[in-house]
Amino acid sequence: MLETQAFHMMKVVIEKIICENIPDARCIFDGDACNFRLVVVSSIFIEMSLVDQHKKIMKLLESQFKSGELHALSLETRVS
């Protein structure tokens, strides 16, 4: 139960960070606390390479990784 709450809270935090910085972003979550998968869909990615898309998202979540709040993430980005 506690792990489920922590996982839910992390999803809320991640979505808030991404949507504050990329207003048209849509975040789709899958998996669980051990196998966390995130798909981010946005028009901002149109002119960006796949590597730059991923760098953009990872930079936004940098403090969560540094703090240990988030330790692994499978990321996919898509153009809306």
Side-chain angles (χ1 to χ4, degrees):
M1 173 80 172
L2 192 59
E3 185 176 309
T4 304
Q5 282 181 325
F7 178 63
H8 175 73
M9 289 305 299
M10 182 51 54
K11 290 192 320 186
V12 170
V13 168
I14 289 171
E15 187 166 25
K16 182 177 188 284
I17 291 168
I18 291 172
C19 290
E20 283 177 352
N21 289 278
I22 306 172
D24 78 331
R26 194 172 85 234
C27 297
I28 304 161
F29 296 93
D30 192 21
D32 56 33
C34 295
N35 188 18
F36 197 49
R37 182 167 183 263
L38 169 63
V39 178
V40 181
V41 182
S42 173
S43 63
I44 197 172
F45 300 136
I46 289 173
E47 298 292 325
M48 299 171 76
S49 70
L50 183 60
V51 170
D52 288 339
Q53 293 172 26
H54 285 221
K55 283 182 180 179
K56 172 80 172 170
I57 299 301
M58 297 305 277
K59 181 71 175 166
L60 293 175
L61 301 175
E62 186 174 35
S63 65
Q64 281 65 38
F65 280 107
K66 282 185 178 178
S67 72
E69 241 181 314
L70 184 59
H71 59 88
L73 177 67
S74 174
L75 177 62
E76 181 180 336
T77 52
R78 298 180 190 161
V79 176
S80 61

